[in-house]
């Protein structure tokens, strides 16, 4: 009886280990841009900025995608909105994303937890940076000002 119990525990542990490896590999694929769709630049011809905005009192979960040509798409519960950045806005956004401040940001710049604050995840050029309302340091605050509507 004891052997059967030990065998069952070992089987469960093996299954959990396999699931953990699969989860880690999936996360690595997403962070490397292999997740497909717009986030990996598929069909967009160049780097794509993707910003996920979540939280707030209403519990939003919006995805803002900016293509290399300046096309901006916002996916919300209520539907999809589109617009295009002007030449100056696109040049400013490109400079912010290519600049040393964005490159120097750590993966996670979130501050102290605040109830009903918005959380942000910026993905660009194979990088992902998380922030929230209390930690929107430059250039993240400037990027949001350019792309939100």
């Amino acid at each position: 009886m004891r052997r059967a119990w030990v065998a069952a525990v070992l089987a469960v542990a093996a299954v959990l280990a396999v699931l953990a490896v699969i989860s880690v590999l999936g996360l690595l694929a997403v962070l490397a841009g292999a997740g497909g769709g717009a986030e990996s630049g598929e069909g967009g011809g160049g780097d794509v900025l993707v910003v996920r905005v979540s939280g707030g009192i209403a519990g939003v979960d919006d995805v803002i995608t900016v293509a290399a040509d300046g096309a901006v798409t916002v996916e919300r519960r209520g539907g999809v909105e589109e617009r295009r950045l002007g030449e100056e806005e696109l040049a400013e956004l490109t400079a912010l994303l290519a600049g040393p401040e964005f490159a120097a940001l750590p993966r996670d710049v979130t501050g102290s937890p605040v109830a009903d604050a918005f959380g942000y995840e910026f993905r660009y050029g194979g990088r992902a940076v998380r922030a929230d309302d209390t930690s929107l340091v430059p250039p993240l605050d400037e990027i949001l000002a350019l792309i939100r509507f």
Side-chain angles (χ1 to χ4, degrees):
M1 176 129 156
R2 189 175 210 167
R3 285 186 185 171
W5 183 79
V6 170
V9 168
L10 290 175
V12 168
V15 168
L16 290 175
V18 168
L19 291 174
V21 169
I22 291 170
S23 294
V24 168
L25 291 176
L27 177 62
L28 290 174
V30 168
L31 292 177
E39 293 180 26
S40 66
E42 183 175 295
D47 284 326
V48 174
L49 169 65
V50 177
V51 179
R52 180 175 292 274
V53 183
S54 59
I57 294 172
V60 303
D61 189 19
D62 299 347
V63 177
I64 305 169
T65 305
V66 183
D69 66 356
V72 181
T73 304
V74 180
E75 298 173 48
R76 295 189 168 115
R77 274 188 221 136
V80 176
E81 298 176 48
E82 297 177 345
R83 75 174 178 107
R84 182 166 297 281
L85 295 177
E87 287 182 30
E88 289 180 18
E89 292 173 311
L90 182 57
E92 186 177 348
L93 178 62
T94 302
L96 290 169
L97 292 168
E101 285 182 317
F102 186 77
L105 288 171
R107 162 99 175 96
D108 191 348
V109 293
T110 55
S112 300
V114 174
D116 299 323
F118 286 107
Y120 306 91
E121 182 176 49
F122 298 79
R123 291 189 203 179
Y124 178 78
R127 296 196 68 226
V129 177
R130 287 183 8 181
D132 59 29
D133 283 332
T134 65
S135 62
L136 281 174
V137 296
L140 301 179
D141 55 348
E142 297 166 87
I143 291 169
L144 276 179
L146 286 168
I147 65 172
R148 285 188 98 171
F149 62 98

